[in-house]
Amino acid sequence: MNGTSVSHCESCPTRHLCLAEGLEGEQLQALATCVRPCAPMHKGDYLFRAGDPADACFVVRSGAFKTFVVNEFGDEYITGFYYPGEILGTSGFAAGVHDESATALDTATTCRVRIEVLPDLWSIGTGPALLRLLGRHDRQATEDRINLTRTRADARIARFLLNLSGRMKHQGRDPAVLPTPMSRTDIANHLGMTLESLSRVIARLSRARLITAARTEITLNDAERLHALACQLDD
Amino acid sequence: MNGTSVSHCESCPTRHLCLAEGLEGEQLQALATCVRPCAPMHKGDYLFRAGDPADACFVVRSGAFKTFVVNEFGDEYITGFYYPGEILGTSGFAAGVHDESATALDTATTCRVRIEVLPDLWSIGTGPALLRLLGRHDRQATEDRINLTRTRADARIARFLLNLSGRMKHQGRDPAVLPTPMSRTDIANHLGMTLESLSRVIARLSRARLITAARTEITLNDAERLHALACQLDD
DNA sequence: CGCACTATTGAGTGCTGTCAAGAACTGTGG
DNA sequence: CCACAGTTCTTGACAGCACTCAATAGTGCG
């Protein structure tokens, strides 16, 4: 499996974003024996389900995922979107059981990090990288929370877009081009508003030429004004 | 410092909630050499400030803390409240710098866990406990996010109270008696609503005998109906 | 090409934010 | 113990924004 000359980590395009960040030859090979890449998943496939034993967390290699919780009444809450280099599934460590479910938003791959290898990660030297991933995840959660406290829908959406933009930049991608493989319904749900409100605001922002909205891609034309909107200084 | 016969971990009333969970004699002593208890802090004292180097995270021993972010316009966002056995300060690991500030809500103490000792925690055998703390923190963040997506103020408050209740239960305390050392303003801020709205809902819940609200303590009289309210089935 | 699903657009109600005033609480000093 | 000042909390009136309901338009897929 890993006896070939080039490990899956060495050939991974996401290696500068994940646990492999800053690692060299031997360390990369050692890491490759710890984490396991999954087969490509397709839209709607489950990475894990709420209730599954949480014996591992995951780092996105390609594509995107959403995590969500379904309550006793069948209401779905989208708790997060995950892009390459981002870690998910860690909240399950609290009770040893995943408390949310995760599905692929399009064709996507991950690396599976089993809970048992976490101590090994420190000896390999990728402990700090793990902390960075966990920290970024934590930070994202904080930003989402702060964003949700904004009452005005347009400010929430503006901040959501700018947050996505920052994550694209961190990935080394064009920060003005935001892939949105999730549905509008998912975005609205995640932002705590109705599909209608989201649709209206997107239409308004498009008319004002602040963004160009396509089905699976939103382009930022004026991040400056979007930022002003996010801070609801004016409109 | 730790040459006495009983380590600060062995004598700590919070030891079954924190990193010490499940550890015995020798392990406890080893842990006590890794983590450092802080001197009692008083209301308003800073545990860390946004911008400080994030070389450690903290576990609450007693009292309570709040974390918050202040943006460029001076707006404050309360990102979380922390009770005994809960971990805070981990989001700073993303960039090596704390992105939020933390202050004591009343007289409070913590244990400081330096980032350098994290590998040692695994060898002591408290790795799983660390994961549990991190997982619980993650889970709390998720719950907060879900809660903030609820549009109705009374549902948000009901869920907030029930969440606090669960945390009290986890601490081994009476789940019906919720210490609220934070101000109403802080709670309102954290829940993404105005002080006035919070005040009105609390008054309404009190009149309906669902809760008994005092300045620094809220008592739940009917968790059942509060849960129904949280799910906004009826009113 | 037609169907199902998703997204957009339109009108009306209700809840929460805003502004404003008053009440209760906290701590200090006499 | 009481009086006082500052803060924190409560209560009231009004307006704006987002939700609800409803219909139309667009998109993807067989």
Side-chain angles (χ1 to χ4, degrees):
Chain A
M1 192 68 96
N2 53 15
T4 56
S5 56
V6 176
S7 69
H8 63 79
C9 281
E10 287 173 292
S11 62
C12 178
T14 320
R15 69 180 177 284
H16 53 291
L17 293 172
C18 67
L19 293 171
E21 183 193 351
L23 298 193
E24 298 294 341
E26 268 186 29
Q27 295 175 307
L28 267 183
Q29 296 223 348
L31 177 61
T33 65
C34 287
V35 304
R36 188 169 302 260
C38 73
M41 300 173 62
H42 302 100
K43 180 174 178 165
D45 288 350
Y46 278 83
L47 183 59
F48 53 83
R49 290 169 192 265
D52 285 352
D55 50 1
C57 58
F58 302 85
V59 181
V60 181
R61 286 187 83 177
S62 64
F65 290 84
K66 72 172 178 182
T67 52
F68 57 96
V69 172
V70 180
N71 73 5
E72 59 210 285
F73 305 106
D75 302 328
E76 184 173 302
Y77 296 93
I78 313 286
T79 48
F81 299 118
Y82 295 84
Y83 288 90
E86 299 178 346
I87 197 168
L88 69 161
T90 52
S91 67
F93 292 156
V97 171
H98 282 297
D99 56 330
E100 15 182 51
S101 302
T103 60
L105 291 170
D106 51 6
T107 303
T109 56
T110 63
C111 268
R112 179 182 159 89
V113 184
R114 285 184 27 254
I115 196 170
E116 289 89 357
V117 308
L118 291 181
D120 302 333
L121 295 183
W122 289 102
S123 51
I124 291 174
T126 184
L130 174 65
L131 284 183
R132 273 195 294 273
L133 289 189
L134 290 173
R136 288 192 73 86
H137 179 254
D138 200 348
R139 206 157 181 157
Q140 180 64 42
T142 300
E143 253 206 90
D144 285 351
R145 266 178 310 189
I146 290 178
N147 194 11
L148 284 169
T149 62
R150 312 220 71 121
T151 50
R152 294 183 48 187
D154 46 6
R156 281 217 288 283
I157 292 168
R159 287 186 70 102
F160 172 74
L161 294 175
L162 290 171
N163 175 270
L164 263 190
S165 175
R167 286 153 80 181
M168 291 307 122
K169 189 175 180 184
H170 180 253
Q171 273 186 55
R173 302 178 54 136
D174 185 346
V177 180
L178 315 178
T180 51
M182 67 294 272
S183 69
R184 295 282 193 266
T185 308
D186 282 348
I187 298 177
N189 181 314
H190 180 60
L191 293 179
M193 64 183 69
T194 58
L195 173 60
E196 294 93 322
S197 290
L198 174 70
S199 190
R200 272 183 255 270
V201 173
I202 286 183
R204 212 179 306 151
L205 295 179
S206 294
R207 271 197 298 275
R209 307 280 180 197
L210 289 183
I211 65 173
T212 306
R215 175 72 189 72
T216 58
E217 189 178 282
I218 295 179
T219 308
L220 307 188
N221 301 324
D222 194 338
E224 190 97 14
R225 282 172 63 199
L226 213 54
H227 185 75
L229 195 65
C231 302
Q232 47 183 336
L233 292 174
D234 53 282
D235 67 294
Chain B
M1 191 69 96
N2 54 13
T4 56
S5 56
V6 176
S7 69
H8 63 80
C9 282
E10 288 172 291
S11 63
C12 178
T14 321
R15 69 179 176 286
H16 53 290
L17 293 172
C18 66
L19 293 171
E21 182 192 352
L23 297 193
E24 299 294 341
E26 269 186 28
Q27 295 175 306
L28 268 183
Q29 296 224 347
L31 178 61
T33 65
C34 287
V35 304
R36 189 171 303 260
C38 73
M41 300 173 61
H42 302 99
K43 180 174 179 164
D45 289 350
Y46 278 82
L47 184 59
F48 52 84
R49 290 169 192 264
D52 284 353
D55 51 359
C57 58
F58 303 85
V59 181
V60 181
R61 286 187 82 176
S62 65
F65 290 83
K66 71 171 179 182
T67 51
F68 57 96
V69 172
V70 180
N71 73 4
E72 59 210 285
F73 306 106
D75 302 328
E76 186 173 302
Y77 296 92
I78 313 285
T79 49
F81 299 118
Y82 296 85
Y83 288 88
E86 299 178 345
I87 196 168
L88 69 161
T90 51
S91 67
F93 292 156
V97 172
H98 283 297
D99 57 330
E100 11 180 55
S101 302
T103 60
L105 291 170
D106 50 7
T107 303
T109 56
T110 63
C111 270
R112 178 183 159 89
V113 184
R114 286 183 29 254
I115 196 170
E116 289 89 356
V117 308
L118 291 180
D120 302 334
L121 295 183
W122 289 102
S123 51
I124 291 174
T126 183
L130 175 64
L131 284 183
R132 273 194 294 274
L133 289 190
L134 290 173
R136 288 192 73 85
H137 179 255
D138 201 349
R139 205 157 182 156
Q140 180 63 42
T142 300
E143 266 219 26
D144 286 349
R145 265 178 310 189
I146 290 178
N147 195 11
L148 284 169
T149 62
R150 311 220 72 123
T151 51
R152 294 182 48 186
D154 46 6
R156 282 216 288 283
I157 291 168
R159 287 185 69 103
F160 172 74
L161 294 175
L162 290 171
N163 174 270
L164 262 190
S165 176
R167 287 152 80 181
M168 290 309 121
K169 188 175 181 184
H170 181 252
Q171 273 186 56
R173 302 177 54 135
D174 185 346
V177 180
L178 316 177
T180 51
M182 68 294 274
S183 69
R184 295 283 193 264
T185 309
D186 282 347
I187 298 177
N189 181 314
H190 179 60
L191 293 179
M193 65 184 68
T194 58
L195 172 61
E196 293 93 324
S197 291
L198 174 70
S199 188
R200 270 183 257 270
V201 173
I202 286 183
R204 212 180 305 152
L205 296 179
S206 296
R207 270 196 299 273
R209 308 281 179 196
L210 289 183
I211 65 174
T212 305
R215 174 73 188 73
T216 57
E217 190 178 281
I218 295 178
T219 308
L220 306 188
N221 301 325
D222 193 339
E224 189 97 15
R225 282 173 63 200
L226 212 55
H227 185 75
L229 195 65
C231 302
Q232 47 183 334
L233 291 176
D234 52 282
D235 69 292

